[in-house]
Coordinates of all heavy atoms in Angstrom, one line a residue:
A32 N -62.0 -13.4 -9.2 CA -62.2 -11.9 -9.2 C -62.7 -11.4 -7.9 O -62.2 -10.4 -7.4 CB -63.1 -11.5 -10.4
C33 N -63.7 -12.1 -7.4 CA -64.2 -11.7 -6.0 C -63.2 -11.9 -5.0 O -63.1 -11.1 -4.1 CB -65.5 -12.4 -5.7 SG -66.9 -11.9 -6.7
A34 N -62.5 -13.0 -5.0 CA -61.4 -13.2 -4.0 C -60.4 -12.2 -4.1 O -59.9 -11.7 -3.1 CB -60.8 -14.6 -4.2
R35 N -59.9 -11.8 -5.3 CA -58.9 -10.7 -5.4 C -59.4 -9.4 -4.9 O -58.7 -8.7 -4.1 CB -58.5 -10.5 -6.9 CG -57.5 -11.5 -7.4 CD -57.0 -11.1 -8.8 NE -57.9 -10.8 -9.8 CZ -58.6 -11.8 -10.5 NH1 -58.2 -13.1 -10.4 NH2 -59.5 -11.5 -11.4
K36 N -60.6 -9.1 -5.2 CA -61.2 -7.8 -4.6 C -61.3 -7.9 -3.1 O -60.9 -6.9 -2.4 CB -62.7 -7.7 -5.2 CG -62.6 -7.3 -6.7 CD -64.1 -7.1 -7.2 CE -64.1 -6.9 -8.6 NZ -65.4 -6.8 -9.2
L37 N -61.7 -9.0 -2.6 CA -61.8 -9.1 -1.1 C -60.5 -9.0 -0.5 O -60.4 -8.4 0.6 CB -62.5 -10.5 -0.8 CG -62.6 -10.7 0.7 CD1 -63.6 -9.6 1.4 CD2 -63.2 -12.0 1.1
M38 N -59.5 -9.7 -1.0 CA -58.1 -9.6 -0.4 C -57.4 -8.4 -0.7 O -56.3 -8.2 -0.2 CB -57.3 -10.9 -0.9 CG -58.0 -12.2 -0.6 SD -58.2 -12.4 1.2 CE -56.6 -12.5 1.7
G39 N -58.0 -7.5 -1.5 CA -57.3 -6.2 -1.7 C -56.3 -6.2 -2.8 O -55.6 -5.2 -2.9
H40 N -56.2 -7.2 -3.6 CA -55.2 -7.3 -4.7 C -55.6 -6.4 -5.8 O -54.8 -6.0 -6.7 CB -55.0 -8.7 -5.2 CG -54.5 -9.6 -4.2 ND1 -53.2 -9.5 -3.7 CD2 -55.1 -10.7 -3.5 CE1 -53.0 -10.4 -2.8 NE2 -54.1 -11.1 -2.6
E41 N -56.8 -5.9 -5.8 CA -57.2 -4.9 -6.9 C -57.5 -3.6 -6.3 O -58.2 -2.7 -6.8 CB -58.5 -5.4 -7.6 CG -58.2 -6.6 -8.5 CD -59.4 -7.1 -9.3 OE1 -60.4 -6.4 -9.3 OE2 -59.3 -8.1 -9.9
Q42 N -56.9 -3.3 -5.1 CA -57.0 -2.0 -4.5 C -58.4 -1.6 -4.1 O -58.7 -0.4 -4.1 CB -56.3 -1.0 -5.3 CG -54.8 -1.3 -5.6 CD -54.0 -1.6 -4.3 OE1 -54.1 -0.8 -3.4 NE2 -53.2 -2.6 -4.3
L43 N -59.3 -2.6 -4.0 CA -60.7 -2.3 -3.6 C -60.8 -2.6 -2.2 O -60.6 -3.8 -1.8 CB -61.7 -3.1 -4.4 CG -63.1 -2.9 -4.2 CD1 -63.6 -1.5 -4.5 CD2 -64.0 -3.9 -5.0
P44 N -60.9 -1.7 -1.3 CA -61.0 -2.0 0.1 C -62.1 -3.0 0.4 O -63.2 -3.0 -0.3 CB -61.3 -0.7 0.8 CG -60.8 0.4 -0.2 CD -61.0 -0.2 -1.6
M45 N -62.0 -3.9 1.4 CA -63.0 -4.9 1.8 C -64.3 -4.2 1.9 O -65.3 -4.8 1.5 CB -62.6 -5.6 3.0 CG -63.6 -6.7 3.4 SD -63.5 -7.5 5.0 CE -61.8 -8.1 4.9
S46 N -64.4 -3.1 2.6 CA -65.7 -2.5 2.9 C -66.4 -2.1 1.5 O -67.6 -2.3 1.4 CB -65.6 -1.2 3.7 OG -64.7 -0.3 3.2
E47 N -65.6 -1.7 0.5 CA -66.2 -1.4 -0.8 C -66.7 -2.6 -1.4 O -67.8 -2.6 -2.1 CB -65.2 -0.6 -1.6 CG -65.1 0.9 -1.2 CD -64.2 1.6 -2.1 OE1 -64.2 1.3 -3.4 OE2 -63.4 2.5 -1.7
F48 N -65.9 -3.6 -1.4 CA -66.3 -5.0 -2.0 C -67.5 -5.4 -1.3 O -68.5 -5.9 -2.0 CB -65.2 -6.0 -1.8 CG -65.6 -7.3 -2.2 CD1 -65.8 -7.7 -3.5 CD2 -65.8 -8.3 -1.2 CE1 -66.2 -9.0 -3.9 CE2 -66.3 -9.6 -1.6 CZ -66.5 -9.9 -2.9
L49 N -67.6 -5.4 0.0 CA -68.9 -5.9 0.7 C -70.1 -5.2 0.3 O -71.2 -5.7 0.2 CB -68.7 -5.8 2.2 CG -67.6 -6.7 2.8 CD1 -67.5 -6.4 4.3 CD2 -68.0 -8.2 2.6
E50 N -70.0 -3.9 0.0 CA -71.1 -3.1 -0.4 C -71.6 -3.5 -1.8 O -72.8 -3.1 -2.2 CB -70.8 -1.6 -0.4 CG -70.5 -1.1 1.0 CD -71.7 -1.4 2.0 OE1 -72.8 -1.4 1.7 OE2 -71.3 -1.5 3.2
T51 N -70.8 -4.2 -2.6 CA -71.3 -4.6 -3.9 C -72.1 -5.9 -3.8 O -72.8 -6.3 -4.8 CB -70.1 -4.9 -4.9 OG1 -69.4 -6.1 -4.4 CG2 -69.1 -3.7 -5.0
L52 N -72.2 -6.5 -2.7 CA -73.0 -7.7 -2.5 C -74.4 -7.5 -2.1 O -74.7 -6.5 -1.3 CB -72.3 -8.6 -1.5 CG -70.8 -8.9 -1.7 CD1 -70.2 -9.7 -0.5 CD2 -70.6 -9.7 -3.0
D53 N -75.3 -8.1 -2.7 CA -76.8 -7.8 -2.4 C -77.2 -8.4 -1.1 O -78.1 -7.8 -0.5 CB -77.6 -8.5 -3.5 CG -77.5 -7.8 -4.9 OD1 -77.1 -6.6 -4.9 OD2 -77.7 -8.5 -5.9
A54 N -76.7 -9.5 -0.6 CA -77.1 -10.1 0.7 C -76.4 -9.5 1.8 O -75.3 -8.9 1.7 CB -76.9 -11.6 0.6
P55 N -77.0 -9.5 3.0 CA -76.2 -9.1 4.2 C -75.1 -10.0 4.5 O -75.2 -11.3 4.4 CB -77.2 -9.3 5.3 CG -78.6 -9.4 4.7 CD -78.4 -10.0 3.3
V56 N -73.9 -9.5 4.6 CA -72.6 -10.2 4.8 C -71.9 -9.7 6.0 O -71.7 -8.4 6.1 CB -71.8 -10.2 3.6 CG1 -70.4 -11.0 3.8 CG2 -72.5 -10.8 2.3
I57 N -71.4 -10.6 6.9 CA -70.6 -10.2 8.1 C -69.3 -10.9 7.9 O -69.3 -12.1 7.6 CB -71.3 -10.6 9.4 CG1 -72.7 -9.8 9.5 CG2 -70.4 -10.4 10.5 CD1 -73.5 -10.3 10.6
V58 N -68.2 -10.2 8.1 CA -66.9 -10.9 8.1 C -66.4 -11.0 9.5 O -66.4 -10.1 10.3 CB -65.9 -9.9 7.2 CG1 -64.5 -10.6 7.2 CG2 -66.4 -9.7 5.8

Side-chain angles (χ1 to χ4, degrees):
C33 287
R35 278 192 307 277
K36 288 177 186 175
L37 178 65
M38 298 305 291
H40 297 292
E41 292 186 6
Q42 303 305 314
L43 182 65
M45 181 191 300
S46 55
E47 286 183 35
F48 170 72
L49 291 173
E50 294 306 327
T51 68
L52 306 174
D53 292 333
V56 176
I57 296 173
V58 178

